Amino acid sequence: ALVGNRQLELASEKIDAAFTLGQAIQNNRVSAQATALKGEVSVFRGELDESMQSLNEALVVFTELGEWQHIAATNLTMAGVLARLGKLDDALTKVESARQAFQSSGNRLAEGRTWGQEGAMRARAGNSIEGKRYFERALELFREVGDQRSVAICLGDLASTNSNIGNLTEAARL
């Protein structure tokens, strides 16, 4: 919540405290979660290289622990960073990895987020038609699980994408 509200300094303090606690009680999962959160805060600060370093460190520990949900979530965060760094192919590989994990576990909401994120990446890379297909799949999943906030965001993404490809009637309908 602190990161979302852009209270980054306070978030960093809390994350550092969590990391220290994880180290003190010798709980690698807690320390890795704090490290991953540090990577997310770095994204908000525009420190993308630092973000990747923290996320990679967390990913190693999550992999050692077999924490598939954390592995998938970290891969999804890394995908966004890689896309911002202009490494679209690497980003798409991370998204696909996350999607497979969420599909295997039946986490339809998280799976929907992978489709939406990939749609955004493809649209930003200049392939709005392909991006639209990914947004449509995300919308199906968000409706299936009843997440109205995600439905609304995805409808906005679809409207924007339709506008970009010149399909103004469809964009206005959304």
Side-chain angles (χ1 to χ4, degrees):
L2 294 173
V3 174
N5 291 328
R6 300 292 196 268
Q7 298 177 7
L8 301 181
E9 290 309 314
L10 183 56
S12 292
E13 290 173 21
K14 301 288 185 189
I15 291 166
D16 289 343
F19 181 83
T20 300
L21 175 64
Q23 294 293 302
I25 63 173
Q26 298 180 345
N27 187 322
N28 289 342
R29 183 175 358 113
V30 170
S31 297
Q33 287 171 320
T35 302
L37 288 171
K38 179 180 175 185
E40 291 183 31
V41 169
S42 295
V43 171
F44 281 94
R45 289 186 170 141
E47 300 164 347
L48 302 181
D49 290 333
E50 272 188 41
S51 175
M52 285 303 295
Q53 181 179 343
S54 294
L55 293 167
N56 274 315
E57 289 173 15
L59 190 59
V60 167
V61 176
F62 291 144
T63 301
E64 289 170 357
L65 296 173
E67 295 276 345
W68 70 265
Q69 187 99 0
H70 291 298
I71 294 167
T74 302
N75 276 328
L76 198 55
T77 302
M78 291 174 83
V81 177
L82 288 164
R84 287 180 64 181
L85 289 169
K87 299 177 180 180
L88 184 61
D89 290 340
D90 293 339
L92 294 174
T93 298
K94 291 286 186 186
V95 171
E96 181 59 32
S97 175
R99 182 169 30 252
Q100 288 174 2
F102 291 135
Q103 284 173 333
S104 295
S105 71
N107 187 337
R108 307 293 275 169
L109 178 59
E111 179 188 345
R113 290 187 178 132
T114 67
W115 288 103
Q117 186 164 339
E118 185 161 351
M121 288 178 190
R122 291 184 183 278
R124 277 189 223 112
N127 195 340
S128 293
I129 292 172
E130 196 171 330
K132 178 184 171 188
R133 288 195 305 263
Y134 285 87
F135 286 134
E136 288 169 342
R137 178 65 180 134
L139 183 60
E140 287 175 28
L141 291 168
F142 295 148
R143 284 182 169 154
E144 178 184 308
V145 299
D147 186 323
Q148 295 307 308
R149 182 175 185 274
S150 294
V151 166
I153 291 168
C154 196
L155 285 170
D157 291 337
L158 272 169
S160 177
T161 302
N162 274 303
S163 177
N164 289 343
I165 60 177
N167 193 348
L168 301 180
T169 302
E170 183 68 13
R173 185 185 67 78
L174 294 170

